[in-house]
Amino acid sequence: AYPNPFNPSTQIRYYLANTESVNIIIYDVMGRKVKSVINKMQNAGLRSVIWNSTDDLGQNVPSGMYFYSIQAGEYMRVRKIILLK
């Protein structure tokens, strides 16, 4: 994710070797789901999505550490991001 730390948004970039179902979810430090950023099939290539520091209800989230998980096919990775206001 870039930038990291960020305020008010960060861009998550990823590369797909094949057409895959992509699922990116933001979690808080307690492991609670904050936002489903993307959940759809995407064609191969370089992709990106922006998280604007809101939850699934459109409410702004507080400053702090968050995690995003990205799953594409059998690939799964979790990374830390920090929101500074």
Side-chain angles (χ1 to χ4, degrees):
Y2 180 83
N4 187 21
F6 68 97
N7 180 20
S9 63
T10 187
Q11 180 181 33
I12 301 169
R13 291 184 283 175
Y14 52 97
Y15 177 79
L16 297 174
N18 303 304
T19 298
E20 298 278 2
S21 175
V22 178
N23 190 11
I24 298 177
I25 300 174
I26 308 292
Y27 297 93
D28 65 14
V29 293
M30 300 299 289
R32 295 176 294 224
K33 178 182 162 191
V34 173
K35 173 118 180 173
S36 178
V37 179
I38 193 166
N39 186 14
K40 66 179 182 178
M41 290 293 291
Q42 290 190 313
N43 293 327
L46 185 61
R47 303 281 175 217
S48 68
V49 65
I50 294 176
W51 179 46
N52 62 356
S53 64
T54 59
D55 62 17
D56 276 334
L57 300 175
Q59 302 295 316
N60 289 326
V61 297
S63 296
M65 184 170 29
Y66 293 87
F67 297 90
Y68 70 90
S69 70
I70 180 168
Q71 185 171 6
E74 293 185 20
Y75 176 84
M76 166 52 154
R77 178 76 40 109
V78 176
R79 293 282 188 230
K80 176 174 53 173
I81 51 179
I82 298 173
L83 171 60
L84 294 176
K85 291 187 179 180

